[in-house]
Amino acid sequence: MNTILLIVFMITLLYFSVANRLMSYVSILVLQGLLVCGVSLLSLNDMNLVNLGIILLETLIVKAILMPYFIRRVILQNNITREAEPSVPNSISLAITSAIIVLTYIATYYVPLNERINLLYFVTALSAILSGLYFIATRRKVITHVICYVIIENGAFILSMAVGGEMPAMVNLGVLLDVLVSVFLLVIFINKVGDVTEDGDVGGLTTLKD
């Protein structure tokens, strides 16, 4: 079952590469949050119940509900155009994202890993992190950079599960705190950018002067 969930997670990366609407991105975050929650439940069932409960609450409530809701609210309140307006054609983005997944699998397969590290988890995590960085580089709106950062954090979360059920809950909570602070700071930045740029387009930042 974990295999299916992780494969679906990688499919969401492919869908993200061809989606053109911001609300589609928000829906992808919801789905990824649910998938990460399912993977956590199936992978960490040997963990202490308290730690497992904290992790499940984080993945379900924060990743699948609060973060998508918060980002969606920012989009609506700032009247940001619903179109994502990627700077690279969808066909090229799909090809590059597919290449990232395939090359990550090939590279990971030939790199000797500790026997305790799950290969599929490792591939999925690296694919999410690298794809998130690519999406940040090819999306023009600041709000999409926030969304891509959350995707990268999802990859980091899966990477922490690659070593098995020994993941400390405090490490995960530390990552979550870092993400929450980053999202809040970026949202504040979006609100300020809206005063000097049109529709949160990062291209407008080139016109800023002292």
Side-chain angles (χ1 to χ4, degrees):
M1 186 64 181
N2 270 349
T3 300
I4 296 176
L5 294 179
L6 292 173
I7 291 175
V8 173
F9 186 95
M10 286 191 282
I11 292 175
T12 65
L13 300 177
L14 297 176
Y15 179 67
F16 192 100
S17 68
V18 297
N20 288 321
R21 297 184 65 82
L22 293 178
M23 291 307 174
S24 297
Y25 292 172
V26 175
S27 299
I28 291 172
L29 289 186
V30 174
L31 178 56
Q32 286 190 353
L34 294 174
L35 291 171
V36 170
C37 181
V39 172
S40 302
L41 179 61
L42 296 175
S43 302
L44 306 176
N45 50 19
D46 294 332
M47 180 178 284
N48 178 278
L49 290 179
V50 175
N51 290 342
L52 178 60
I54 292 174
I55 292 174
L56 292 179
L57 284 176
E58 175 202 334
T59 53
L60 180 61
I61 296 178
V62 178
K63 292 181 182 295
I65 299 176
L66 291 183
M67 279 189 179
Y69 170 77
F70 185 65
I71 293 174
R72 182 179 184 274
R73 186 175 178 181
V74 170
I75 294 172
L76 296 176
Q77 287 185 344
N78 289 271
N79 297 318
I80 300 175
T81 303
R82 305 297 179 83
E83 294 298 322
E85 301 176 4
S87 58
V88 177
N90 289 343
S91 57
I92 296 178
S93 282
L94 179 61
I96 292 177
T97 306
S98 301
I100 288 174
I101 295 174
V102 173
L103 293 176
T104 299
Y105 177 81
I106 294 174
T108 305
Y109 183 81
Y110 287 103
V111 173
L113 297 175
N114 188 298
E115 60 181 11
R116 295 170 59 190
I117 297 179
N118 187 293
L119 178 62
L120 184 58
Y121 281 74
F122 200 71
V123 171
T124 304
L126 288 184
S127 297
I129 293 171
L130 295 176
S131 296
L133 292 173
Y134 166 72
F135 295 147
I136 288 176
T138 57
R139 265 55 183 180
R140 297 176 57 86
K141 295 183 183 297
V142 180
I143 189 65
T144 59
H145 295 178
V146 178
I147 296 172
C148 293
Y149 187 86
V150 177
I151 291 177
I152 292 174
E153 196 279 330
N154 287 337
F157 182 90
I158 295 176
L159 184 62
S160 67
M161 289 194 294
V163 298
E166 295 83 6
M167 180 184 62
M170 291 305 296
V171 173
N172 188 48
L173 290 177
V175 173
L176 173 63
L177 178 62
D178 176 63
V179 172
L180 287 176
V181 171
S182 299
V183 169
F184 278 115
L185 289 176
L186 285 171
V187 168
I188 293 173
F189 177 63
I190 290 169
N191 291 330
K192 294 303 180 182
V193 167
D195 296 335
V196 293
T197 66
E198 181 179 355
D199 199 29
D201 193 322
V202 295
L205 297 179
T206 58
T207 63
L208 295 178
K209 299 182 183 296
D210 293 335

